[in-house]
Every structure is written in structure tokens, then in C-alpha cells.
Amino acid sequence: MSHIQDLLKQHGVPEREVYLDWINGSVVDKEVFDAMIPYYLEKDYGNPAITHRIGWSTLDFYERTKRQISQPLNVDPQSIAITHSFTESNNLAIKGLTKMYKGRKKIIVSEVEHLSVIHAAKSLFDQGYKVDILPVSNDGTINLDILQEKIDDDTLLVSLQSINHEIGTIQPMKEALEIVKDKDEKIIFHTDATSAFGRIDLDFSKTEVDLATFSSNRILGPKGIAGLYIKDGIKLKSIYEGQLSVEILAPDVENSPLLAGFAKAVELHFKNFDEIKNHTTKLRDKLLYGLHTSIERTEINGPAGERRAPDNVNVSFLGCEGEALTVESSMNGIYASSGSACTSRVLMPSHILTAIGRKPEEAHGSMLMTINRLNTEEQINYVLETMPKVIERIRSITGGIEL
Amino acid sequence: MSHIQDLLKQHGVPEREVYLDWINGSVVDKEVFDAMIPYYLEKDYGNPAITHRIGWSTLDFYERTKRQISQPLNVDPQSIAITHSFTESNNLAIKGLTKMYKGRKKIIVSEVEHLSVIHAAKSLFDQGYKVDILPVSNDGTINLDILQEKIDDDTLLVSLQSINHEIGTIQPMKEALEIVKDKDEKIIFHTDATSAFGRIDLDFSKTEVDLATFSSNRILGPKGIAGLYIKDGIKLKSIYEGQLSVEILAPDVENSPLLAGFAKAVELHFKNFDEIKNHTTKLRDKLLYGLHTSIERTEINGPAGERRAPDNVNVSFLGCEGEALTVESSMNGIYASSGSACTSRVLMPSHILTAIGRKPEEAHGSMLMTINRLNTEEQINYVLETMPKVIERIRSITGGIEL
Amino acid sequence: MSSRIPLPYAPRVLELFQNPQNLGRMEDATVIASAGSPACGDMIAFYLKVEDKSEIITKSSFESYGCASNIAAASQLTIMIEKKTLEEAWNFTWADVSEALGGLPSVKTHCGSLAVGALRRAIRTYYEEITKATPAWLPEELTKDEKHALEEEALAEKLKKKYKL
Amino acid sequence: MSSRIPLPYAPRVLELFQNPQNLGRMEDATVIASAGSPACGDMIAFYLKVEDKSEIITKSSFESYGCASNIAAASQLTIMIEKKTLEEAWNFTWADVSEALGGLPSVKTHCGSLAVGALRRAIRTYYEEITKATPAWLPEELTKDEKHALEEEALAEKLKKKYKL
Ligand SMILES: Cc1ncc(COP(=O)(O)O)c(C=O)c1O
Ligand SMILES: Cc1ncc(COP(=O)(O)O)c(C=O)c1O
């Protein structure tokens, strides 16, 4: 495996580089990083449940940062559980709930949920749970009529994401919530808001949302820390066991530098919420429509306009295989990912692209590019100039193979 | 709750401060921090399973750091699973195993294991597992005769820590391992080596240890990252669900800056292993025996000499309640913790101190101080000068109350 | 699952812990009572000097084996009952003590409660052993705070048995 | 649980991906064969120019709809069979191709395999359609690499049904 360095040498460092794979990994903002430094080196590194100066000072810091983190959701800081990742938050929401609420046995999720939601729900099969999967329209929108039909007396939980992470569909959360709660207030409503946090308004104070997952590293905060909003009165049980301290639902999560980074990222992002949204929306449309018009046989995955996440670009280039696409793009300094089967362990195309009715060969040719506030218009111009050549070359390799 | 800042003002910042609560929270080493910087800001922040330059570069980095992390254990880097915390590692070892090995239903742990081990084992009761708890001697040593007796055909797993985290007992791991494997090779042996990593030799290459937990933040590495050694051939299942990438047992753990810090901490600590061991052992003995001889009615918890962890000091001051002790110490600039019931949510004294036969009032008066390579002899002198006054004052409040 | 709990004390708790008022054994006490148990990590001894006819508490003091909030609660109570009649003193509840301390973390309410339990025991003892007559305002049944002390003592016995002491 | 897989290619894979040898349709091919299916994200077309009597491959080329390792494997195979007889060419296995590429990640062995499958199909086609006589060295039963291509094609049918296409 030590030939990766040779691979990198063979690849070379392109003269111009544009990173558009923010969903798969991200730097932190420089200001966020600066905010973390003291907590790594000198300050509030204690356990907030210990009765000495360092412990109390850490507790004070902990409460202040939780207050900051809860602000964009407009909820009580005490209703936020800190976890290590959005994956853990989703697992805690689903499995932690089923440990506390016995009786009802049905969980409803959509076809396009993140795997952490779908698999967490399905992991409960052997405890007698039933998982109903809602279909979506061909732009990825959850089918509300079928939601209405599926809810019954046995329904414990409905888990529907706020924004789809792959094709950017902004889901009709308000309507879904109304349908659920109108039918039966007791049904718990969870939303995976990981890809929505910082993209759309998420004021939960006036809603009946019971549980919501959100994360730090989608807003240029550090990875390794995330949150779960838990409405007052909802009971969960920790999904793994250990010594609890300030957080009573997840052991071993008190991590001052990561919290400091999360809080700073929240502060910076929401201070500039409108500006970031306008900036990314502009670049998104430029890139999305630019690719669509300048490269033939290109299809847009997901909705257009207002109903699309401000940072999401996802297109299928017919006649191209996605892994080859990412490699050729990479050699041109453009970093993105694909829903191709060739990038997955099970060799199946993205479950989201097939859910919206894409043929496998369309799914294989998909490219996901997310726009971050660090991206510039100049970068997008470069991508628009370069991608036609990338696609042309890949299509030349496909040659006359009929798809 | 916003009065914590007033509390801190009331407390004041002591002129001299000595931090001895490393087990509950820790800074990172300055060099470790420096090693993390590029991965937060500019380098290898991608997902190591994506086929573009940043992904491949991250993969290369990932493999190199895992190699470094596995070195002190002298095992194949591929046998290390990265997790978010030692708590998660312990849960993965125990629950992840029971998901893969059906049939045998008995788990043996000791009375003095960390709560993440004891509670993870007990959480399996409702799946029909039986948990046998081994007693310990009055210095905390596992009773090997009883281990021998308890092992039977139904035993799936024996989980015994390498060093006790509270009273520093170095456990007879080699002997325990022999007893288990001599009786039945198929029994899985897990050791929670969190408090042993960097304290004693842990070369697993020539042993039959199947699973071992270890962590970054006990050697001045960052919190939020830990490891589980999994011997080739042992099968585990992830304890929560999500998208897996390089790590196939824990979703969402690929975190370059934390890995960089972990690897650097390993490098620095093990380069100076003997020096650190000698330094802390010297300070440990100075503090342990110093407190014991200069303050009357003081008892040592745990073994003395070679069989005690080089960094562990734990004593009970009779006639003192532990929370009051930590507060009074804190006002004198000495930061440590206690096994007192008053610091726990369930108002029970430390399960470890009662396991070694301490009366509750002895457990309540315990103080745990751990010595780190950053501590100096001068600091220990200060602690030795100051603690008699601390104890005297607390005892004066107790006054004539008979214990 | 066992766990640690954060204890965000109000500054008044630390102030009284640092500088406890009315600390110490009182040699000429009219009555003495104690509550709690060292096995539970919490015990208070309460001393009262009571003026004969007026039943005014002219002096009170305490000793405490316990956490910072236990010490502060006992000290705070001695301050509150100064120059009060026994009847007035009786009527202080743990909620009053907690409030005077700036609010105790909820897991620590038993500390305030224990101090009140000890005081009430002292008051009962006064009527049982000194005046040998019970005033009308003194309830026959044990109050909540007194019961709390009993519970804690019972728990201590259980703990002792559990650990075979 | 579904998951992504790291793909640490050897540099040779990237080299051939960047600069594929023998790429493209061959207008004057003696035989053509394809293997795989776009539905699975992997398809190869193989073109051979075969010298009449000697049965020597004088020229070969490929087209590929597939990932970098698929492209590299096909290209590598065309290089390996140059100036080889059909019998010699037949005997290259996916392990040979993988080795020549510096080792493929195990999840990608099917890419090497698919290239070999396509080549063997072309060779069979040659004997079936051009010479109409089967040489003794040509096994009647399908080889593993040929079966692999069939499996992939069958999976494509299943996928199509699953997604109702
Ligand atoms: C809702 C949601 N979906 C998906 C992802 C990531 O998906 P993937 O790991 O496939 O990039 C994330 C976070 O990474 C997420 O929050
Ligand atoms: C083996 C072990 N025990 C105990 C602890 C910590 O115990 P506590 O959280 O009680 O300080 C750790 C790590 O923090 C540990 O690794």
C-alpha cells in the first residue's frame, strides 16, 4: 500500500485547484481554528463535573458554548445533546428512542435518508420493529400522500431529513410535520438536519419537531463533534455505556477545543447567514446551469431554484462513469465525488439516485459538487471552462459503447 | 447557572497551581498541537475513500499515522480500529463481539473495571447474557483462582483491564491470559489498556490478547480519538450504523487533525518512555509516601512499588469528605479528584474503593492524583507542603463528629 | 449508568465554605443533635444555646462531615436562626436555606435538607429533654426534612451491610 | 452496512488512465467482443486484428465505460497480447493483468477480470465465426473470467428489474 505516494507523484499537483467535495471532508475556518487553540493548550481542558477551579471553569465554558450552539435553532441549550458525529446523533435519536418507548413498533423513514438513519432503523428488525420506507418524487421530494397513508396506531417515529445531502432537495418539513402531528401528536418526529444546518432557517422553538440532528463540520467547524436537539419531555437512552458527566446521553463527549470550534463556527456562519446563502446560491446556479448548458447529455439531479439547497450541485454526465470522472477531474485540479457504484464497497450505485428514478448508468455518471463560502466565482469559472474537456476525454474512452 | 463566573471570582486564581487531575482532562503537548495544525487548515482534510488527489493524499496520511499508532503495540496497523473514545472502544469490543459470536453467553469482568466495561457487559442481560464479576484483593488485584473457577464452556469473553484507572493496580495480565487460554483457546480475551498505554510495556505481537482498548488523551494527545486492537481473525460488528469509509467498524471516525495528534503523541511519549516512567515514578513515590508519612490517619489505596502504575497516587484522608477536600485543595491551587459519593449522580462512593474493602467513609475521603510528565518535583514539593494544612482545615470542620 | 454530576455552586456556598460562620462544638450548648451518617458522606452536628423563658436561640453552631454545600447549608442555617425563637427557627425549610445560598444544584438539596433535619431534631430534643412539654405548634409527626435524615441513616446501615462492615 | 472503499491505485493505473495505450474502435478488426454492462458501471469492448495462418494478434484495441482501473486493465491487456498468438493471449489471467498494474485493490479485481473476459470472448468468436473450428487448447467450458462477465451482465438485468426500467 505504500505506493500511494507514487500514485500521488504520478498524479502531480495541478496548477489550479478547486475543492468542491466539502460534504466528504473539510478544513476548518482560520478564525474557528484560532478559537480552538487556547482549549488545546491552556484553558478549560478539565472535566466540567469536577469540583475544582479547572473543572468549574470548564463547566462555565461548556454552558456558554452550548448556549451559542443552540442559538441558531432558537432552543434551550439544555435541550441539546452533544455527540461525536451526526451519525451518532442519528443513531441516538432512533435507537435511543426505541429503548425508552415500548409498545409502538413502526418507524417511517424516506428512501433518500442518509445511511445512518436507514441502517439504524433497519438494525431494529430483530427487535420486532417494522420500517416503512417512503418513496420520493423524481426530484427527491418525499411523497406526503403516502406518508399520510402509512401513519397508524403502531407508528412510534417518523424520521425525515430536512435537506437531502446528495441532490439538495429541501424537503417539505412543515407539511410533513403537520401531517404527522395532526394524525397523532404522540408520534415522535425526527429530522436529520445535518445538510440543512446553516442552509435554511431551522428555528425549532415554534415547531413540534421532537428530535433534530446537526453537526459542526458542515459549517467549517471541526469534525468529531455534533448535536442532537431533544425537545423537552422526550426521553432517550444512551446508545453506548460509560461514565457520564455533563452530557447524560453520550459518554465521553466533553471536548473543549472541539466545542470551542463548533461554537465559533456557529457564530461566524450565522452572523453571515444571508451573505453566505446568496453567495453560494449564485455560484451554485452558475455551476449547475453552466454545466447543463455547455455540456450535452447532462442531466440535473434534484430540484432547481428555491427548492434546492443553496450549496448543492449534482449532475449526471451520460456516457461517463463516475469514478473515472472524479479521477480525470482531479487531474485537472477539480475535487468532487460521485454516486457511482465503483466507489462503493458493495458495487451498487447511490441509493438516492436510484430512488429518484435514475437508471443505473445515469447514477454511475453522477457528480456531486458542493459550494462553500470559501469558493470563489473565479474558481467556478475555472470549473466551467475545464469540465467540458474532462467530459470529452471520458466520453472518448467510452467511445462507441452503447449505453 | 450563570453564577459560575461569580463562583470563579469568589474562588480566585491561586498564586501557585498544580494540576494533578490528568485522568479527567488534559491539555495536549505543544508539539502534538503543532503537528495537528496543518490538518485543520490545509492538508489531508479529505475523505480517504474518495478517488481524487485530496482523498488519496488523506489515505496516504491515514495509513502512515496508523502505522505510527500501532508501533508501541507492535502489531499490524490493519489490526487497529480507530474510534472516538476509549469508551466507544470498550463498547465495540464487548457488544460488537456479541453481535458476531452466537452461542456462548457468559462474560467475565472484574469488579474494578471501568464503568464502560461493566455497564456494556450488563447491558446485554436482556439478550440472555450472564455477567460474572471477579472480586479483587485489597490492593485491587484480580483474583486469579476465582477466574480459573469461573471459566466454563459457556464463556465467550473475559475482559480485564491492564492497569486500574483509580488505584493504579497493575494487573497480572500474563497470568490471567494463560489461565484463560490454557483452559479454552476459543475464549476471547479483551483488556482495557487505557490507563496502561504508555505506562507499561504492551507488546501484543507475542501474546494471545484478542482485543485491547487504548486512547490518545492519556499521553497528551487530543481527546476524541482512540483505538481498539483487534487480533487478526476476530470478528466484530459496528455498534452503530452509518456510512463506513476506511474504518469498517466505526462510522465517521476519519479525523485527520485528531489522528495527526494521536500519532505525534505516540511518537513523543514512546521515544521517551523510560525517562517518563522514571520521572513519574519518582514523583509518585515522593507524593504517595510523603502524604502518608506527613499526614496522620492517611491510608494508601492500591499497591505500592513495582505493582503500582507509575503515575497513580490515591490516598484516603480519614475524617475528611472528598468533595470538600477537592474544593479546599483547589483554593490552594491543587487540582485533583475524589471517589466521594458527593461527586456522583447516584450518591454512591467509587465502586473501586468499595471493591477493595474500603469502608464508605474511607472511600468518601479519597483523593486521586495522577502524575504527568509535565509535573515537576517543585510542584510535588508544593503539594506536600500544602496538603497538611488542607487536611487540617477539613478535619477542623468535621470537628468531633465521630466516624 | 453511573455518572458524575456538575456542581455549579453559587458563590455564597464557596464563601461560607471558605469562612464558615458559627463553626465548631459549643461547650455550653443547651441541646445538641446530629443527622446523617459518615457512611453516606454527609453528617451534621447542631448545637443550640436557648434562652430559658423566651425560647430565643442566642447562639448556635455546627460541625460538618460533608461536602461544600453541606457545610455552607449548616452555616447558613445557624445565621438564619440567630435571635429567633424556637418556633420561628422550626419554620425554616430547606428551600429557605437553598434560596439563601443562591440555589443549590438539585442533587444537593439533601444537604440543605440535612441541616434542617438536624436543627429540628435539636428543637424536639429541647422539648423532650429540657422542658418536657410539647408546644402546640410542634407537629407530632416527623416532617419531611427529619424523615430525610432518617432515610439517609437507614441507607448508611444498608451500605454497611452491603459491604459487610 | 453500505460503505465507501479506499482505492490506493498503483501509479501504473493512473499512468494508463492518463495515457491509455491502444484506445479506440478498430475499423478493420478481425473480431470484436464486449463484456460487462453499463448498468453495473463497467463495460469493455475489445477489438483484435488477427494474422491469418499464424494466429498472431497484430493489433488490438479497446473502449471502456468504467472506472480508472477498468480502463487501465483493458489497456494493459492490449499491451500484453501484442504480437502474441491467440493461444498465448488466451492464457493471460486477471492475476497477470493485476500484477502488471502493480496490484489492484481487491474490490477491483473484477475490472481486470472483465478485460480478460472480453478478450476471451473475442478469441472464442474468432474460432466460432472466422475459422469455424475449435483448437484443442480452447476449453469447452467457460473459464472463470468469462463467467464473471456473464455474472455481471446477469446482475445488470436484475438491477434493471429492481428499478423497473
Ligand atoms: C444528512 C447527511 N447525509 C449524508 C452525509 C454524508 O454522506 P456521505 O458520507 O455519503 O458523503 C452527511 C454527512 O456527512 C449527512 O449529514
Ligand atoms: C480504564 C479507564 N478507566 C477509567 C477512566 C476514566 O475514569 P473516570 O471517567 O472515572 O475518570 C478511563 C479514562 O478516562 C479509563 O481509560
Side-chain angles (χ1 to χ4, degrees):
Chain A
M1 296 279 159
S2 62
H3 54 222
I4 314 177
Q5 280 172 21
D6 295 329
L7 176 73
L8 288 165
K9 211 174 291 164
Q10 175 72 30
H11 184 290
V13 181
E15 218 172 293
R16 299 193 57 168
E17 297 191 286
V18 182
Y19 191 74
L20 296 171
D21 199 18
W22 302 102
I23 197 162
N24 283 310
S26 161
V27 293
V28 305
D29 182 283
K30 179 69 172 68
E31 273 188 74
V32 167
F33 177 73
D34 289 343
M36 296 168 69
I37 300 175
Y39 303 92
Y40 270 126
L41 293 177
E42 62 197 42
K43 237 173 101 178
D44 297 342
Y45 48 83
N47 181 317
I50 306 280
T51 47
H52 54 51
R53 191 179 78 78
I54 308 296
W56 277 320
S57 179
T58 305
L59 178 60
D60 178 50
F61 159 79
Y62 205 84
E63 294 191 348
R64 279 184 290 119
T65 51
K66 268 185 91 162
R67 214 147 40 227
Q68 271 179 287
I69 289 167
S70 64
Q71 258 166 17
L73 307 179
N74 199 14
V75 295
D76 183 354
Q78 305 232 38
S79 66
I80 305 289
I82 298 293
T83 66
H84 295 95
S85 67
F86 78 90
T87 297
E88 190 182 318
S89 292
N90 281 343
N91 277 263
L92 175 58
I94 296 171
K95 297 191 199 173
L97 187 80
T98 57
K99 289 184 188 185
M100 295 300 281
Y101 291 75
K102 302 297 176 188
R104 298 182 176 213
K105 288 286 189 187
K106 184 155 123 183
I107 297 170
I108 299 175
V109 305
S110 89
E111 251 185 321
V112 295
E113 296 302 313
H114 188 253
L115 292 176
S116 54
V117 166
I118 294 180
H119 289 310
K122 289 188 174 176
S123 77
L124 298 163
F125 279 158
D126 59 6
Q127 286 164 58
Y129 286 85
K130 190 166 168 277
V131 179
D132 263 11
I133 312 247
L134 291 185
V136 296
S137 73
N138 63 10
D139 72 3
T141 307
I142 294 155
N143 189 316
L144 295 176
D145 295 335
I146 300 187
L147 173 62
Q148 176 90 47
E149 278 166 34
K150 296 230 173 189
I151 305 170
D152 61 16
D153 286 354
D154 197 34
T155 306
L156 169 65
L157 170 71
V158 174
S159 176
L160 300 173
Q161 63 191 182
S162 303
I163 288 187
N164 183 269
H165 48 293
E166 207 169 303
I167 56 172
T169 316
I170 298 178
Q171 299 293 2
M173 224 19 59
K174 235 181 107 208
E175 292 77 359
L177 189 59
E178 252 173 47
I179 289 172
V180 171
K181 295 290 185 179
D182 277 0
K183 192 115 165 200
D184 181 352
E185 274 190 351
K186 276 197 267 156
I187 297 172
I188 311 286
F189 191 95
H190 168 245
T191 186
D192 175 359
T194 309
S195 290
F197 189 60
R199 274 65 180 175
I200 54 173
D201 177 46
L202 290 174
D203 181 340
F204 291 131
S205 69
K206 286 168 223 87
T207 75
E208 292 182 282
V209 168
D210 298 299
L211 300 161
T213 297
F214 62 108
S215 162
S216 155
N217 70 322
R218 288 299 171 77
I219 51 167
L220 296 180
K223 197 172 152 76
I225 190 155
L228 179 67
Y229 162 65
I230 305 168
K231 198 190 186 79
D232 188 34
I234 304 293
K235 301 260 167 297
L236 304 181
K237 196 168 173 309
S238 177
I239 54 168
Y240 54 99
E241 280 76 25
Q243 170 112 325
L244 301 173
S245 165
V246 183
E247 294 298 325
I248 57 168
L249 283 174
D252 227 355
V253 290
E254 290 85 4
N255 192 323
S256 295
L258 298 188
L259 263 170
F262 194 175
K264 188 51 142 190
V266 163
E267 184 198 318
L268 293 175
H269 190 99
F270 288 90
K271 198 170 68 186
N272 302 310
F273 183 89
D274 290 331
E275 201 182 305
I276 293 169
K277 190 172 162 178
N278 293 339
H279 175 72
T280 56
T281 303
K282 192 177 127 201
L283 298 192
R284 173 200 74 182
D285 285 343
K286 181 161 192 164
L287 183 54
L288 192 65
Y289 301 133
L291 291 172
H292 187 241
T293 51
S294 71
I295 301 172
E296 58 174 16
R297 291 194 293 145
T298 298
E299 288 177 7
I300 293 177
N301 297 314
E306 284 295 299
R307 304 199 20 261
R308 185 178 196 100
D311 58 349
N312 179 286
V313 171
N314 192 319
V315 289
S316 285
F317 299 107
L318 302 189
C320 296
E321 190 285 323
E323 193 228 85
L325 260 178
T326 58
V327 175
E328 180 68 10
S329 303
S330 175
M331 294 197 298
N332 286 279
I334 297 167
Y335 307 121
S337 62
S338 169
S340 159
C342 263
T343 62
S344 109
R345 212 174 284 270
V346 289
L347 296 177
M348 293 285 280
S350 153
H351 71 283
I352 287 153
L353 295 174
T354 51
I356 60 169
R358 288 285 177 231
K359 291 183 212 156
E361 53 269 41
E362 292 167 339
H364 295 314
S366 76
M367 252 191 132
L368 168 58
M369 298 164 156
T370 44
I371 314 274
N372 187 283
R373 65 177 159 97
L374 299 182
N375 290 121
T376 63
E377 178 147 18
E378 205 209 332
Q379 288 181 329
I380 301 305
N381 288 338
Y382 173 72
V383 176
L384 285 172
E385 269 163 43
T386 310
M387 283 308 291
K389 286 179 283 182
V390 167
I391 302 305
E392 194 183 290
R393 193 174 100 83
I394 298 298
R395 284 181 178 159
S396 81
I397 297 173
T398 305
I401 292 181
E402 261 177 55
L403 301 178
Chain B
M1 294 278 159
S2 61
H3 54 222
I4 315 176
Q5 279 172 23
D6 296 328
L7 176 74
L8 289 165
K9 211 174 290 165
Q10 176 71 30
H11 183 291
V13 180
E15 217 171 293
R16 299 194 57 170
E17 297 191 285
V18 182
Y19 191 74
L20 297 170
D21 199 18
W22 302 102
I23 197 162
N24 283 309
S26 162
V27 293
V28 306
D29 183 283
K30 179 69 170 69
E31 273 187 74
V32 167
F33 176 73
D34 288 342
M36 296 167 69
I37 299 175
Y39 303 93
Y40 271 128
L41 294 177
E42 62 197 44
K43 236 172 102 179
D44 296 343
Y45 48 82
N47 181 319
I50 307 280
T51 47
H52 54 51
R53 192 179 77 78
I54 308 296
W56 277 319
S57 180
T58 305
L59 177 60
D60 177 51
F61 160 79
Y62 205 83
E63 294 191 349
R64 279 184 290 118
T65 52
K66 269 186 91 162
R67 214 146 42 226
Q68 271 179 286
I69 289 167
S70 64
Q71 257 166 20
L73 307 179
N74 199 14
V75 296
D76 183 352
Q78 305 232 37
S79 66
I80 304 290
I82 298 294
T83 67
H84 295 95
S85 67
F86 77 91
T87 297
E88 190 182 317
S89 292
N90 282 343
N91 276 263
L92 174 58
I94 296 172
K95 298 193 201 170
L97 188 79
T98 58
K99 288 184 189 183
M100 295 300 282
Y101 292 74
K102 301 297 177 188
R104 298 182 176 213
K105 288 287 190 187
K106 186 155 121 181
I107 296 169
I108 299 175
V109 304
S110 91
E111 253 186 320
V112 295
E113 296 302 314
H114 188 254
L115 291 176
S116 53
V117 166
I118 294 180
H119 289 311
K122 289 188 173 175
S123 76
L124 298 163
F125 279 157
D126 59 5
Q127 287 164 57
Y129 286 85
K130 191 166 167 276
V131 179
D132 262 11
I133 311 249
L134 290 185
V136 296
S137 73
N138 62 10
D139 72 3
T141 308
I142 294 155
N143 189 316
L144 295 176
D145 294 335
I146 300 188
L147 172 61
Q148 176 91 46
E149 278 166 32
K150 296 229 173 187
I151 305 170
D152 60 17
D153 287 354
D154 197 34
T155 306
L156 169 66
L157 170 71
V158 174
S159 176
L160 300 173
Q161 62 191 182
S162 303
I163 288 187
N164 184 269
H165 49 292
E166 205 168 304
I167 56 171
T169 315
I170 298 178
Q171 299 293 1
M173 223 20 59
K174 234 181 106 207
E175 292 78 0
L177 189 59
E178 253 173 43
I179 288 172
V180 171
K181 294 291 185 178
D182 277 1
K183 193 116 166 197
D184 182 352
E185 275 189 349
K186 275 196 270 165
I187 298 172
I188 310 285
F189 192 95
H190 168 245
T191 186
D192 175 0
T194 308
S195 291
F197 189 61
R199 276 65 180 175
I200 54 172
D201 176 46
L202 289 174
D203 181 340
F204 291 133
S205 68
K206 285 168 222 89
T207 75
E208 292 182 283
V209 167
D210 298 299
L211 299 161
T213 297
F214 63 108
S215 161
S216 154
N217 70 321
R218 289 297 171 77
I219 50 167
L220 296 180
K223 197 172 152 74
I225 190 155
L228 179 67
Y229 162 66
I230 305 168
K231 199 190 186 79
D232 187 36
I234 304 292
K235 302 259 166 297
L236 304 181
K237 196 169 173 309
S238 177
I239 55 168
Y240 55 98
E241 279 77 25
Q243 170 112 327
L244 302 172
S245 165
V246 184
E247 294 298 325
I248 56 166
L249 283 173
D252 227 355
V253 291
E254 290 87 2
N255 193 321
S256 295
L258 298 187
L259 263 171
F262 193 175
K264 189 53 145 189
V266 162
E267 183 197 318
L268 292 175
H269 190 99
F270 288 90
K271 198 170 67 186
N272 302 309
F273 183 88
D274 289 331
E275 202 182 303
I276 293 169
K277 190 172 165 180
N278 293 338
H279 175 72
T280 55
T281 303
K282 194 177 128 202
L283 298 191
R284 174 199 73 184
D285 284 343
K286 182 162 193 167
L287 182 55
L288 191 65
Y289 302 133
L291 291 172
H292 187 240
T293 52
S294 71
I295 301 172
E296 59 174 14
R297 292 194 292 146
T298 297
E299 288 176 7
I300 293 176
N301 297 314
E306 285 294 300
R307 303 200 21 260
R308 187 176 195 102
D311 59 347
N312 179 287
V313 172
N314 191 319
V315 289
S316 285
F317 300 106
L318 302 188
C320 295
E321 190 284 323
E323 194 229 84
L325 260 177
T326 58
V327 176
E328 180 68 10
S329 303
S330 175
M331 293 199 298
N332 286 278
I334 296 167
Y335 307 121
S337 63
S338 169
S340 159
C342 263
T343 61
S344 107
R345 211 174 285 269
V346 290
L347 296 177
M348 293 286 281
S350 152
H351 71 284
I352 287 152
L353 295 173
T354 51
I356 61 168
R358 288 287 176 228
K359 292 183 212 156
E361 53 269 41
E362 292 168 338
H364 296 313
S366 77
M367 252 190 133
L368 168 59
M369 298 163 158
T370 42
I371 314 273
N372 186 282
R373 65 178 159 97
L374 300 182
N375 291 121
T376 63
E377 177 146 18
E378 206 208 330
Q379 289 181 328
I380 300 305
N381 288 337
Y382 173 74
V383 176
L384 285 171
E385 271 162 40
T386 309
M387 283 308 290
K389 288 179 283 181
V390 167
I391 302 303
E392 196 183 287
R393 193 176 100 83
I394 298 297
R395 283 181 178 159
S396 81
I397 297 173
T398 306
I401 292 180
E402 261 176 57
L403 301 178
Chain C
M1 195 173 320
S2 184
S3 53
R4 291 239 177 74
I5 187 137
L7 297 168
Y9 290 136
R12 175 72 176 157
V13 172
L14 202 57
E15 192 187 329
L16 281 176
F17 172 78
Q18 282 180 283
N19 199 4
Q21 305 299 299
N22 305 316
L23 173 67
R25 168 181 298 268
M26 190 192 295
E27 295 302 338
D28 59 344
T30 318
V31 275
I32 307 176
S34 68
S37 147
C40 288
D42 257 328
M43 188 161 179
I44 287 178
F46 227 94
Y47 302 86
L48 296 182
K49 179 87 189 151
V50 184
E51 207 175 59
D52 220 8
K53 291 270 161 49
S54 67
E55 297 192 345
I56 280 175
I57 297 168
T58 54
K59 224 169 73 184
S60 72
S61 72
F62 75 100
E63 293 171 313
S64 159
Y65 170 82
C67 59
S69 52
N70 192 35
I71 293 163
S75 183
Q76 181 62 45
L77 189 56
T78 61
I79 295 167
M80 289 160 78
I81 61 175
E82 216 181 292
K83 305 274 175 294
K84 297 279 187 288
T85 65
L86 289 180
E87 185 178 357
E88 287 166 336
W90 179 272
N91 286 319
F92 286 115
T93 64
W94 71 259
D96 300 325
V97 176
S98 170
E99 197 194 319
L101 289 173
L104 284 176
S106 62
V107 72
K108 291 292 185 186
T109 48
H110 79 283
C111 301
S113 176
L114 203 60
V116 172
L119 168 64
R120 290 193 185 169
R121 274 193 186 166
I123 294 173
R124 274 197 204 276
T125 306
Y126 179 84
Y127 290 113
E128 276 162 22
E129 294 183 4
I130 314 279
T131 71
K132 301 197 166 122
T134 313
W137 54 262
L138 191 71
E140 244 171 83
E141 283 224 350
L142 290 186
T143 56
K144 214 169 81 186
D145 293 307
E146 290 168 283
K147 277 190 197 144
H148 177 266
L150 281 180
E151 277 162 25
E152 187 153 329
E153 288 149 13
L155 174 61
E157 285 312 306
K158 258 177 54 187
L159 270 183
K160 278 192 187 155
K161 273 198 204 112
K162 180 165 175 200
Y163 299 116
K164 300 173 207 76
L165 304 174
Chain D
M1 196 176 314
S2 183
S3 54
R4 290 238 178 75
I5 187 138
L7 296 169
Y9 290 136
R12 174 72 176 158
V13 172
L14 202 57
E15 193 187 327
L16 280 176
F17 173 77
Q18 281 179 284
N19 199 4
Q21 305 299 299
N22 307 315
L23 173 68
R25 167 182 299 268
M26 190 192 298
E27 295 301 338
D28 59 342
T30 318
V31 276
I32 307 176
S34 68
S37 148
C40 287
D42 258 327
M43 187 161 180
I44 288 179
F46 227 93
Y47 302 86
L48 298 183
K49 178 90 188 151
V50 184
E51 207 176 60
D52 219 8
K53 292 269 158 55
S54 65
E55 297 191 346
I56 281 175
I57 299 168
T58 53
K59 224 168 72 182
S60 71
S61 71
F62 76 99
E63 293 171 312
S64 159
Y65 170 82
C67 59
S69 52
N70 191 34
I71 294 164
S75 183
Q76 181 63 45
L77 190 56
T78 61
I79 296 168
M80 288 161 77
I81 62 175
E82 215 180 295
K83 304 275 176 294
K84 297 280 187 287
T85 64
L86 289 179
E87 183 177 1
E88 286 165 337
W90 179 273
N91 286 319
F92 287 114
T93 64
W94 69 259
D96 298 325
V97 175
S98 170
E99 198 194 320
L101 290 173
L104 284 176
S106 61
V107 74
K108 290 291 186 186
T109 49
H110 78 283
C111 298
S113 177
L114 204 59
V116 173
L119 168 64
R120 290 192 184 169
R121 276 193 185 166
I123 294 174
R124 272 196 204 278
T125 306
Y126 180 82
Y127 290 112
E128 277 163 20
E129 296 184 2
I130 313 278
T131 71
K132 300 196 164 111
T134 314
W137 54 263
L138 191 72
E140 244 173 82
E141 283 224 347
L142 291 185
T143 56
K144 216 168 80 186
D145 293 307
E146 291 168 281
K147 277 190 197 146
H148 177 266
L150 281 180
E151 278 162 24
E152 188 154 328
E153 289 150 13
L155 175 62
E157 285 311 307
K158 258 174 61 186
L159 270 183
K160 279 193 186 157
K161 273 197 204 113
K162 181 165 176 202
Y163 299 117
K164 299 174 207 76
L165 304 174

